[in-house]
Amino acid sequence: MKIIHRISLRATAKQRRELEFLGIQVPEGVSLLDDGDKFISFEVNEGHANWSILQELFRKWDAIDVVSTQFSKKEIAAARWLNLTPDWHCGYPQPDELAFGYREATYDTSEYCPVCGVGLKQKAPFQMRGEPKWGRRSILQLNWVYDEYFVTPEAWKSVFYSFDVGCQPVTDPMGNVLRTVVQLDIKETAGVVTDELAIEHCSTCNRVKYLPVVRGPFPSLTKDPSAAMARTKEYFGSGASAYNGILLNQSLAMAMADAGIKGASVRPVALL
Amino acid sequence: MGQNVRQMASVAVNPAEHQAFTNAWRAAIPYGAGTQNATKETVMRAARTIYAGHPALLEALGL
């Protein structure tokens, strides 16, 4: 397991020299069409020989730091349960994306809080602008909707159907059912051990959600789900974004890999 | 964040600026899990950095 930091900043000549001295290959960077320094982004993992010095510098410079964790194939294969994470996002839920029209069209919003994003319950099929441009991929997420996955009907039939994961139709904004995409119907819920998770408390609805867990494995489950796929009872996210984590068992993850399903990745769920 | 786009303040940018900003956002917060896991704090910090030389944009964002 490697903890990776994606660092971005507008680096001065002095900062570039310091980074290079500490063993970072500093990219040329891009101009943001103003008088400021070029914008650079690079990755460094916590195993770097100078990590402790670099970490201090990144804090001092107020650099953008996006953390992720890389797992070995062995670590993934050893997990009983995995968290499904998107490799891409394809389009925005419809209708009227400039006013988040999908919320009222797709969800029962009676328990929804617009400040923290918690409480949406699906009541109708998702709408997409049209057939997704899949390329070589066969699983996707929509922007903003981080707790639903959509797959090609072929992927559903060849992989998910045999694990008793159902599907729901997806329509265009006119109500026509799309032919090349279905939504995975993930019904079961599972609790997560939350003792050590960082929280965001909503002062409007008084509910709690957990900041996304980016270091190490996904938090352990209080009890293994009985279905092959499940969603967490808890919400994760920050600001107005809130979503349930999506879980799948090792057998389904292996079947997805064997079928060459592209568009999402897995990371281990910690064992209790 | 989470605001209705039609009710947000807006600043006109030319196509070259738009492309440069988009590239910087993509580099700082990658698509996929990067977007899903981005915190409000990270997004605000990225906005302050990327738009540092464009005070009108920072002002429109309240930064």
Side-chain angles (χ1 to χ4, degrees):
Chain A
M1 180 173 78
K2 288 180 186 169
I3 309 290
I4 311 289
H5 292 253
R6 185 165 188 82
I7 301 294
S8 303
L9 71 152
R10 304 189 68 160
T12 63
K14 184 170 178 281
Q15 287 170 328
R16 282 175 175 275
R17 284 196 299 275
E18 282 186 79
L19 288 170
E20 279 163 359
F21 179 75
L22 291 167
I24 299 292
Q25 278 198 326
V26 183
E28 169 65 24
V30 294
S31 164
L32 292 177
L33 308 179
D34 56 26
D35 297 332
D37 296 297
K38 283 187 176 175
F39 184 84
I40 61 168
S41 291
F42 58 89
E43 288 188 345
V44 56
N45 86 62
E46 291 187 4
H48 191 285
N50 293 318
W51 172 247
S52 55
I53 305 169
L54 287 164
Q55 188 179 27
E56 282 305 307
L57 286 177
F58 299 149
R59 281 192 191 133
K60 190 172 113 188
W61 296 342
D62 200 24
I64 305 158
D65 182 0
V66 173
V67 182
S68 60
T69 306
Q70 242 176 37
F71 298 94
S72 67
K73 283 183 181 169
K74 198 175 163 188
E75 287 167 328
I76 289 171
R80 252 197 349 253
W81 281 86
L82 299 120
N83 169 223
L84 192 62
T85 62
D87 292 340
W88 69 314
H89 289 100
C90 178
Y92 292 84
Q94 302 296 316
D96 197 8
E97 67 190 52
L98 292 182
F100 300 116
Y102 78 99
R103 282 191 198 134
E104 292 297 330
T106 318
Y107 293 104
D108 168 357
T109 57
S110 56
E111 292 177 26
Y112 170 65
C113 172
V115 174
C116 69
V118 167
L120 290 172
K121 287 190 184 126
Q122 189 173 351
K123 66 173 185 186
F126 272 90
Q127 300 175 28
M128 295 183 184
R129 196 180 286 274
E131 302 289 351
K133 293 181 173 59
W134 287 104
R136 292 183 178 180
R137 301 166 179 119
S138 41
I139 185 166
L140 67 78
Q141 270 195 335
L142 288 164
N143 281 288
W144 305 334
V145 184
Y146 301 135
D147 47 12
E148 301 297 344
Y149 282 90
F150 301 85
V151 298
T152 62
E154 294 76 22
W156 177 72
K157 275 179 208 150
S158 65
V159 178
F160 297 94
Y161 173 72
S162 51
F163 284 86
D164 282 334
V165 179
C167 72
Q168 297 192 48
V170 178
T171 74
D172 69 13
M174 305 295 290
N176 302 306
V177 174
L178 297 177
R179 292 175 298 102
T180 66
V181 60
V182 294
Q183 177 192 355
L184 293 179
D185 197 1
I186 305 163
K187 288 197 165 79
E188 189 163 333
T189 58
V192 161
V193 176
T194 57
D195 302 349
E196 294 180 9
L197 302 184
I199 63 167
E200 255 188 30
H201 173 256
C202 179
S203 55
T204 300
C205 72
N206 214 24
R207 285 177 288 192
V208 159
K209 67 183 173 190
Y210 300 91
L211 287 177
V213 178
V214 291
R215 294 179 66 89
F218 191 80
S220 51
L221 308 179
T222 54
K223 188 182 165 195
D224 281 359
S226 57
M229 246 182 144
R231 63 180 70 241
T232 62
K233 289 175 185 162
E234 295 78 8
Y235 283 90
F236 294 85
S238 173
S241 170
Y243 55 89
N244 308 116
I246 300 299
L247 310 161
L248 69 168
N249 66 19
Q250 179 66 242
S251 304
L252 176 52
M254 283 173 65
M256 284 176 69
D258 290 345
I261 304 274
K262 290 186 171 55
S265 299
V266 293
R267 65 170 171 156
V269 171
L271 290 172
L272 254 185
Chain B
M1 285 178 278
Q3 295 169 340
N4 183 328
V5 177
R6 291 206 181 94
Q7 292 165 5
M8 290 171 78
S10 60
V11 176
V13 294
N14 64 41
E17 287 170 330
H18 187 273
Q19 191 60 59
F21 294 150
T22 302
N23 292 346
W25 279 105
R26 280 182 186 167
I29 302 176
Y31 282 141
T35 311
Q36 183 187 44
N37 293 330
T39 62
K40 187 175 177 178
E41 185 194 354
T42 301
V43 173
M44 295 303 215
R45 180 172 292 148
R48 281 196 301 271
T49 306
I50 293 167
Y51 302 137
H54 299 265
L57 279 165
L58 291 175
E59 195 183 333
L61 290 167
L63 295 171

